[in-house]
Each structure stands twice: as C-alpha cells, then as structure tokens.
Amino acid sequence: MITALLVAIWAGICAIDDIGTQMLRRPLLIAPIVGLIMGDLEAGLYIGATLEVMWMGVGNVGAYSAPDIISGTCIGTALGIASGGTEVAVALAVPTSLLAQQLLILYRSGIVALNPIAERMAETGDFKKIFRINFIPMAIAFLIRAVPTFIAIYFGATVIDTIVAALPANIMGGLNVAGKIIPAVGIGLLMLMMIKKADLWVFLIAGFALAVYLNLSVLAITLISLPLAFLYDLASQSKAVSNSMDDEEGELDL
C-alpha cells in the first residue's frame, strides 16, 4: 500500500508540473523515480527510456489532447516492474494513457467554468483570490492522476501477474514485437515535426548510410555532421542575404 501511495503521489506531482513548468512530465524522468520507489531503479531506467522513445513525438497540438503519458508511465512502469518487464510495461502503458486521456478531456473542459468566476474577481481588484483559484485545477489535476494510479497499482499487481502467467507465449511474443515497433513510430513522428524541408532528408539518408554500411558510432556520425551542418547554415544565410539584396535592387529599379 505504501508503494502504491508513493507512486500515486509522484504521479500527482508530475500532473501539477504538467500544467506549470513541464519539466517532469517525460517518461525518461518519471519512470526512474517509480523504479526507485519500487526498488528496481535499473528496470525503471530501461522502461523509461523505452517509453520516452515511444512517446517522443507525442504532444498537445492546438485543441488536441494527447494520451496521458504521466499516468501511462507511472502505472505501466510500476506494474511492469512488479509483473514481468518492459513488454508488460508497454502493453499496460498504451491503454492506460488512452483511458486517462478521456479524464484529461473532461478535466480541461470542466475547468473552463472557472473563467467567469476569475473575471468577476478581477473586476473587484482582489488579485489574491485570482491567485488562490488556481489551486482548484491544480488539485483536480493531482487527483485525476494520483487516484487512478493508486487504484491500478494497489489492486492490479496480483491481477496482472495472473493475466501475464495465463497469456500464451505467442501473445507475449507479439507484445515484445510491438514494444520494438512503437518506438520507431515515435521517432517517425518526431522526424516529421523536425524535418520540415525536403532537402533535409538528404542528411537523414546520409546518417543512415554511415550507421548501417560503415558501422560508425553515434559520436562519430555527430562529429562528421557538425561541420556539414555548419556549412549548410552558412549557405542558407548567404542565400537569404542574396535574395534580400536582389529584392532591394528590384525595388530600386522600379
């Protein structure tokens, strides 16, 4: 019970950070603390790295509410450590994050009701009340992560053990394959966000060739790519300056 309570409190703290500085919301930071609480820091680090790669490209864009990676990481890591490892953690983290996503949508829709209350407080000039009203969404955000996490960990560990033991070997093999495929999808989403120009894909292909066909390490590829990136940046700046000068000359001719 103490372990479940501590993990739930950690999930609630990360939830408050999620509506603030957003410094703790990533699996790479969440899972190791869960592993430390569960008594297996090494497994927490490994699961956190796997989930980080899997969810690297996931984020809220506009009105879209992304799957809740905080609940998914906390519950998946805790039950994964208690019940079998990374495959179980990934298998539990994905559906858990999708279920918690619905709670987040209700939460974000519900706290809109606080806006007119804050406006009336602003009209009175009592800014201390406006500051204190922020504790309401913070408390709700804490509870919608902490309570499900506590329930899932406290009541779910033995159930998960039974389910995992009853699963056929081919299903566990499928989960293992999914755990390797989903990180590739996360990296793909990240590349789509970062590589906006078509000509930048040339560098991706070059890096792939260096890694696969020449068996170079990441450090070696990074050192090779640094001067190339510097030259590309200089060429881009020179081109921009040249275009600007051509535009100015055209305006003078007119």
Side-chain angles (χ1 to χ4, degrees):
M1 180 176 180
I2 300 299
T3 300
L5 183 61
L6 290 175
V7 175
I9 292 173
W10 173 237
I13 292 172
C14 294
I16 294 175
D17 174 79
D18 188 37
I19 58 177
T21 58
Q22 294 189 342
M23 297 295 291
L24 302 174
R25 64 188 299 270
R26 301 306 306 179
L28 198 60
L29 298 175
I30 298 173
I33 302 301
V34 176
L36 191 62
I37 295 172
M38 298 290 296
D40 194 342
L41 178 59
E42 182 179 354
L45 288 167
Y46 189 81
I47 293 172
T50 302
L51 295 179
E52 180 67 36
V53 174
M54 183 177 75
W55 280 324
M56 191 176 291
V58 174
N60 298 323
V61 180
Y64 170 71
S65 182
D68 183 20
I69 60 179
I70 293 176
S71 299
T73 301
C74 287
I75 295 174
T77 303
L79 295 184
I81 291 174
S83 307
T86 306
E87 291 83 5
V88 176
V90 172
L92 292 172
V94 174
T96 301
S97 65
L98 292 175
L99 291 173
Q101 178 187 29
Q102 310 309 314
L103 291 176
L104 286 179
I105 293 173
L106 292 174
Y107 157 72
R108 288 166 180 161
S109 301
I111 60 174
V112 175
L114 296 175
N115 289 342
I117 300 175
E119 289 177 358
R120 288 196 295 269
M121 291 178 178
E123 291 175 356
T124 63
D126 192 345
F127 294 103
K128 290 184 179 180
K129 288 184 178 180
I130 299 176
F131 177 80
R132 286 196 295 269
I133 201 174
N134 288 295
F135 287 107
I136 297 175
M138 290 173 63
I140 298 174
F142 182 95
L143 292 174
I144 63 173
R145 262 63 170 257
V147 173
T149 299
F150 177 80
I151 294 174
I153 296 173
Y154 184 70
F155 294 102
T158 55
V159 175
I160 295 299
D161 282 333
T162 304
I163 294 174
V164 171
L167 287 175
N170 57 346
I171 293 181
M172 289 304 297
L175 294 176
N176 188 21
V177 172
K180 296 176 180 178
I181 293 176
I182 294 176
V185 176
I187 292 177
L189 290 171
L190 182 65
M191 287 193 299
L192 287 174
M193 295 172 62
M194 296 182 65
I195 305 178
K196 299 295 185 180
K197 297 180 180 179
D199 53 353
L200 293 178
W201 286 91
V202 175
F203 296 100
L204 176 65
I205 297 172
F208 176 81
L210 292 173
V212 175
Y213 297 108
L214 297 181
N215 294 321
L216 295 180
S217 65
V218 174
L219 178 60
I221 296 174
T222 302
L223 294 176
I224 293 172
S225 63
L226 280 175
L228 295 176
F230 178 72
L231 293 174
Y232 177 83
D233 185 61
L234 286 179
S236 299
Q237 291 182 12
S238 299
K239 184 178 180 180
V241 172
S242 177
N243 291 336
S244 177
M245 293 177 64
D246 291 341
D247 293 339
E248 291 178 0
E249 290 177 358
E251 292 176 358
L252 291 173
D253 291 339
L254 292 176

